[in-house]
Amino acid sequence: MSLVGENFRDGSLPDHARMSPRVSSDGTLASIQISVSDFDRHKATGVLCNKQPPSLYLACHMWDRVFYDQLNDSQQIEWEREDPDQTLSFEVEVESLTDDLNEYYIPNGSVSSDWVDETLEYLCVVETADKLTDTQYRVDFRNLREKRREYKDVVVRGGEFSDLAMLFAGWHCENEVELDRDDLHELTEPSNPTGDTDTTDYTQPTIGEY
């Protein structure tokens, strides 16, 4: 360790392990070459960095990677039918969803509950979720494959969720532009409904198909 403004000392190390001859002001101030491949593992598993992501990014991640696991067994069977007209609703609590993200979906995650809350509010404006209370939301989960396909040929060099991001961003912008302030604000206000949890047993009408 060195004091601020001083070069660190590594004279006790073998010559091949010393950094000061290259990176200190007494040395050549050469760069250290690190292969991009050294970061592959972190890029593949590190969904987030230590900075809040755009709500659109986290919304896409949760929609494609997390929300299916929030469905009950009956709803998951119905989801496998890939019916674009079928909406499956479930409730999530902000703190609980945040804990799940950090424990099961994002290795060593540091997702903040504020990020999750803002992301769910974003989905409220997209009109794929409803805010029930200050900490609880109902998500209206449905298969968007056909709608996402419209953007497959449009997105150039896009990432994994580019088509979904284009779809959500379009819906969000439409409401931001077309709705007046009061109606837009109403989308993110708690509605306090009762008895809206989806308890339908979807397995009965389709049980013969599985």
Side-chain angles (χ1 to χ4, degrees):
M1 296 292 292
S2 64
L3 297 175
V4 175
E6 293 183 0
N7 291 318
F8 59 87
R9 297 184 297 274
D10 56 3
S12 60
L13 296 176
D15 288 345
H16 72 275
R18 296 181 63 201
M19 294 180 63
S20 59
R22 299 187 61 187
V23 300
S24 70
S25 60
D26 294 335
T28 59
L29 292 179
S31 61
I32 299 176
Q33 300 300 318
I34 301 175
S35 171
V36 175
S37 62
D38 292 337
F39 296 97
D40 284 348
R41 179 174 61 86
H42 300 288
K43 290 172 64 180
T45 60
V47 177
L48 301 172
C49 60
N50 60 347
K51 180 180 179 182
Q52 180 174 0
S55 294
L56 174 59
Y57 175 86
L58 193 53
C60 291
H61 180 79
M62 292 197 297
W63 190 274
D64 264 12
R65 295 290 181 84
V66 179
F67 284 167
Y68 174 80
D69 293 337
Q70 305 297 315
L71 301 174
N72 60 39
D73 292 343
S74 172
Q75 290 174 318
Q76 288 185 356
I77 290 175
E78 182 64 19
W79 177 260
E80 297 301 328
R81 292 170 55 83
E82 299 183 355
D83 182 354
D85 298 321
Q86 179 69 66
T87 298
L88 304 170
S89 299
F90 58 88
E91 294 182 10
V92 291
E93 197 275 328
V94 172
E95 290 289 346
S96 177
L97 182 57
T98 302
D99 291 342
D100 286 349
L101 283 168
N102 288 323
E103 183 171 357
Y104 302 115
Y105 298 97
I106 301 176
N108 300 315
S110 57
V111 179
S112 162
S113 59
D114 289 339
W115 301 1
V116 173
D117 189 50
E118 290 180 25
T119 298
L120 291 170
E121 283 199 351
Y122 183 94
L123 289 176
C124 288
V125 178
V126 173
E127 296 190 87
T128 55
D130 290 305
K131 190 169 188 175
L132 306 180
T133 69
D134 287 335
T135 61
Q136 194 165 16
Y137 292 79
R138 182 180 65 246
V139 177
D140 296 325
F141 193 49
R142 64 185 189 273
N143 193 310
L144 299 173
R145 179 174 299 177
E146 293 300 320
K147 294 184 180 297
R148 293 172 66 165
R149 188 171 289 131
E150 300 173 10
Y151 295 97
K152 288 292 185 184
D153 297 330
V154 177
V155 179
V156 179
R157 297 183 62 186
E160 184 179 3
F161 306 129
S162 294
D163 53 347
L164 181 61
M166 292 279 284
L167 184 63
F168 281 171
W171 288 346
H172 191 277
C173 288
E174 285 177 10
N175 279 343
E176 285 278 2
V177 171
E178 296 177 3
L179 296 180
D180 60 41
R181 290 294 96 187
D182 289 340
D183 290 339
L184 191 61
H185 182 67
E186 189 174 336
L187 290 176
T188 57
E189 279 293 290
S191 56
N192 296 311
T194 57
D196 283 346
T197 302
D198 187 353
T199 58
T200 305
D201 184 358
Y202 292 98
T203 60
Q204 293 308 310
T206 58
I207 197 168
E209 301 177 24
Y210 294 89

